[in-house]
Structures are given as structure tokens and as C-alpha cells.
């Protein structure tokens, strides 16, 4: 027996303002009007007719509370924010304002006279003649409806912009991982192949290090920020592999303040910077080279520094692909609240300094063991 799939039901658009909020607003407004009438009568020395004052104001709030969703629906149906049909929609609201106000006055007059709160009979001609005095209430509600629409659009725009920024950073992070994995893997496998004929133990050690390094990269989450401790673990593995490849040419020094290990920073930030320093700063250098990684906290800032004693350069304004990608990620995550500087001089090496807001990982979140 075959079954026919039902088309998905269209999702209902939520109201601009909930019914409970509308009821509460009109109740407060009615209470304010009752208080105002009482104060005016008190200052004038006249007694207050509570049946007319209290009943009339509550009835006023009740009727307009029921009409408010209608006004909001008309605001959406005949949207004055659309320039294409603005004149036609304006005429529709002009007609609706008078019709709804007239309906309000007829119901109000009928109930108040019928209950005896206002003596005498209902004068239809007087109700119709005075209906225009209450039309501004409709336009006040219309303005409130468009103000709420503007607020919702602004909020949705902020949420959409945040989602797009998150997607952008995720795309950049995934692209960085895809670039890192094959590039580093091929270079390391070539080094292992060369070591197999020279130092089998070193080749095995390098394979173990490479396996651990790739596992950390492949198993890394899509979190945009990780702790400095997690980032240093990946960086240390990379540098250990490089030291295995070049045992007499690379020395590494770490100067990490203990209170910075729990600080948050963008994932895969240090490793590409360190790799840049090794490949472009130390590799062309004749003889042994030294790389220093430093982290410290100054006030509410996390300061990171990667320095080598390689060949350096005279032009510090040039930015390679790696640095441009890094600056793009930093701008997306922190806006203008970061500082990145590169210092260099011929035969003096490179020094990259980075300052970002100091924020700790949430309590109870500890890095997974390697």
C-alpha cells in the first residue's frame, strides 16, 4: 500500500507582539488614565464617578486591546515601508483608521449607556461626529507596529551578520586545515623516507610524532578558539618533528607565563606562524638557528611573540598569504581589538608580535590530553 507524502505545512509567522504583552500594556495605560482622572478631580474639588472613570477606562483599554492585533495585521498587510505601493497603502490605512475608530466609539457608547454608567440615550450622530477625535490612537498603534518591525529586522540582521561571520571563520579554519595537512604531510614523509637509510630510530620517532600531530589536527573540533595550552601542544609537536629532521640546526626556547596557558586564542594560530619562521627565516640560514615563543599577560591583553634569528629582511610591510589569512581571521574574530606587528632587519631575523583580548576558557573546560 503506497502512501503519498504530505507537503510540509507552511510555518506560521509569529505575531509582532504577544497577546499578553498587549493586554498588560493596555491595562497599565487604563490604570494611568484612572489615576489621572482621580488627580484632576481631586485638584478641582469634584467627586470622582468611579463607575464611569474606572469602568470607562477599562472598557477603553479592553476594546483597543482587541483592536491592536488588527492594526498590527493591517500594518503588515499594507506596509508603508514599501515605496512601490505607499500611496495605495496610505489610503487603505486612512480608511481603516476611521472604520476601526468608529467601531470602537459605537461599542464604547453602547456598553457605557447600556450599563447606566453614562445616563441618557446613545446619539448616533454625536458618536459619528466625534469619531475623528480618536483616530490618532490608530496611527499611534501603527507607528508602534513599524517600530517593532524595525527592531526585529535590526535584531535579525545582527544575528544574520554574526552567523555569516561565524561561517566565514569556519571556512577560513577549514581551508587552513586542508592546506596544512597535505603540505606538512608530504614534506614530513619525504623526510622520513630520507631518514630510513640514515637513522632508523629517528625515522620511527618522527613517524610517531607525525602521527600524533596529524591526529590532533584531524580530530580538532570546529571551535574558533582554543586554549594557549592546546595550541602550544600542536606547535611543540610540529617543532619536534622539525628538530628530528634538522637535529643540529634548530633550537627552540619557550617563555610561557603560567597564567596564560588557559587563555583563549584562534585555533591554528601559532603553528602556521612558527612554520613560516622555520621555512622562511631559519631554513635559508647557514648553521644553527634559534626560535623563541613567548606568551605573557599585560592587563587585559594576551601578548604573543614568535622570534627567530634567521636572515630577516629589510621590508617589514610585505605580507605573505599566511600573514594575510591570519590578519583576516583576527579581524573577523576581534574586529579592531587586536594588534599585529612584524619587525625584521637583514641578518637579524623576524619578530612577530600579537596582542589580543585576554579571555580565559570557561570554568570546568580542560584541554583533552594528547
Amino acid at each position: 500500500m503506497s502512501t503519498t507524502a504530505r507537503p510540509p505545512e507552511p510555518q506560521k509567522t509569529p505575531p509582532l507582539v504577544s497577546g499578553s504583552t498587549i493586554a498588560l500594556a493596555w491595562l497599565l495605560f487604563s490604570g494611568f488614565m484612572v489615576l489621572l482622572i482621580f488627580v484632576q478631580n481631586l485638584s478641582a474639588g469634584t467627586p470622582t464617578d468611579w463607575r464611569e472613570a474606572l469602568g470607562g477606562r477599562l472598557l477603553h483599554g479592553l476594546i483597543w486591546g482587541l483592536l491592536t492585533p488588527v492594526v498590527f495585521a493591517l500594518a503588515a498587510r499594507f506596509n508603508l515601508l514599501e515605496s512601490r505601493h505607499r500611496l495605495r497603502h496610505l489610503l487603505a490605512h486612512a480608511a481603516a483608521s476611521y472604520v476601526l475608530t468608529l467601531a470602537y466609539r459605537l461599542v464604547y457608547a453602547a456598553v457605557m449607556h447600556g450599563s447606566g454608567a453614562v445616563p441618557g440615550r446613545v446619539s448616533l450622530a454625536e458618536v459619528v461626529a466625534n469619531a475623528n477625535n480618536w483616530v490618532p490612537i490608530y496611527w499611534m498603534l501603527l507607528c508602534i507596529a513599524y517600530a517593532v518591525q524595525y527592531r526585529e529586522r535590526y535584531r535579525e540582521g545582527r544575528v544574520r551578520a554574526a552567523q555569516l561571520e561565524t561561517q566565514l571563520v569556519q571556512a577560513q579554519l577549514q581551508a587552513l586545515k586542508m592546506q596544512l595537512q597535505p603540505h606538512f604531510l608530504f614534506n614530513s614523509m619525504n623526510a622520513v623516507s630520507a631518514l630510513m637509510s640514515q637513522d632508523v630510530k629517528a625515522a620511527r620517532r618522527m613517524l610517531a610524532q607525525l602521527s600524533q600531530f596529524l591526529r590532533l589536527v584531524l580530530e580538532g573540533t570546529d571551535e574558533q578558539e582554543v586554549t594557549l595550552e592546546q595550541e602550544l601542544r600542536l606547535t611543540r609537536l610540529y617543532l619536534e618533528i622539525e628538530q628530528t629532521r634538522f637535529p643540529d640546526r634548530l633550537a627552540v626556547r619557550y617563555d610561557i607565563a603560567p597564567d596564560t596557558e588557559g587563555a583563549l586564542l584562534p585555533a591554528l594560530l601559532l603553528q602556521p606562524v612558527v612554520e613560516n619562521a622555520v621555512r622562511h627565516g631559519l631554513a635559508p640560514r647557514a648553521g644553527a638557528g634559534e626560535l623563541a615563543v613567548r606568551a605573557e599577560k599585560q592587563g587585559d591583553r594576551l601578548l604573543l611573540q614568535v622570534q627567530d634569528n634567521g636572515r630577516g629582511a629589510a621590508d617589514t610591510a610585505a605580507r605573505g598569504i599566511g600573514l594575510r589569512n591570519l590578519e583576516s581571521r583576527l579581524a573577523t574574530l576581534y574586529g579592531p581589538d587586536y594588534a599585529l606587528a612584524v619587525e625584521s632587519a637583514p641578518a637579524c631575523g623576524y619578530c612577530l608580535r600579537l596582542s589580543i583580548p585576554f579571555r580565559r576558557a570557561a570554568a570546568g573546560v580542560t584541554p583533552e590530553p594528547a
Side-chain angles (χ1 to χ4, degrees), residues 249 277-287 311:
R249 294 190 54 194
V278 172
R279 292 178 59 200
H280 303 295
L282 297 177
R285 172 190 171 93
R311 62 178 182 177

Side-chain angles (χ1 to χ4, degrees), residues 28 59 82 135 203 211 241 324 333 346:
L28 292 175
L59 179 61
E82 297 178 1
V135 167
S211 173
I241 294 172
R324 289 201 301 271
L333 283 170

Side-chain angles (χ1 to χ4, degrees), residues 250-281:
L250 177 60
V252 182
R253 177 167 51 87
Y254 296 96
D255 184 11
I256 309 298
D259 59 345
T260 63
E261 292 185 349
L264 292 172
L265 71 163
L268 288 180
L269 180 143
L270 276 180
Q271 191 278 331
V273 172
V274 167
E275 183 177 356
N276 247 11
V278 172
R279 292 178 59 200
H280 303 295

Side-chain angles (χ1 to χ4, degrees), residues 110-124:
V111 173
M112 292 299 289
H113 284 276
S115 64
V118 177
R121 299 180 61 184
V122 180
S123 173
L124 184 60

Side-chain angles (χ1 to χ4, degrees), residues 292-365:
V293 180
R294 184 181 180 186
E296 64 176 324
K297 179 178 182 292
Q298 285 189 4
D300 60 349
R301 311 291 296 179
L302 173 65
L303 305 183
L304 299 171
Q305 179 177 299
V306 177
Q307 185 173 10
D308 66 73
N309 62 347
R311 62 178 182 177
D315 183 12
T316 59
R319 292 287 194 269
I321 295 177
L323 274 181
R324 289 201 301 271
N325 287 343
L326 173 60
E327 286 189 292
S328 176
R329 293 180 63 205
L330 291 170
T332 304
L333 283 170
Y334 303 115
D337 196 17
Y338 79 93
L340 178 67
V342 178
E343 300 175 2
S344 180
C348 294
Y350 286 91
C351 180
L352 181 142
R353 291 188 174 91
L354 173 63
S355 170
I356 59 176
F358 186 93
R359 292 187 291 107
R360 290 190 179 276
V365 177

Side-chain angles (χ1 to χ4, degrees), residues 193-204:
S193 177
L195 280 174
M196 288 298 291
S197 59
Q198 302 172 10
D199 189 342
V200 176
K201 288 184 178 181
R204 289 176 178 172

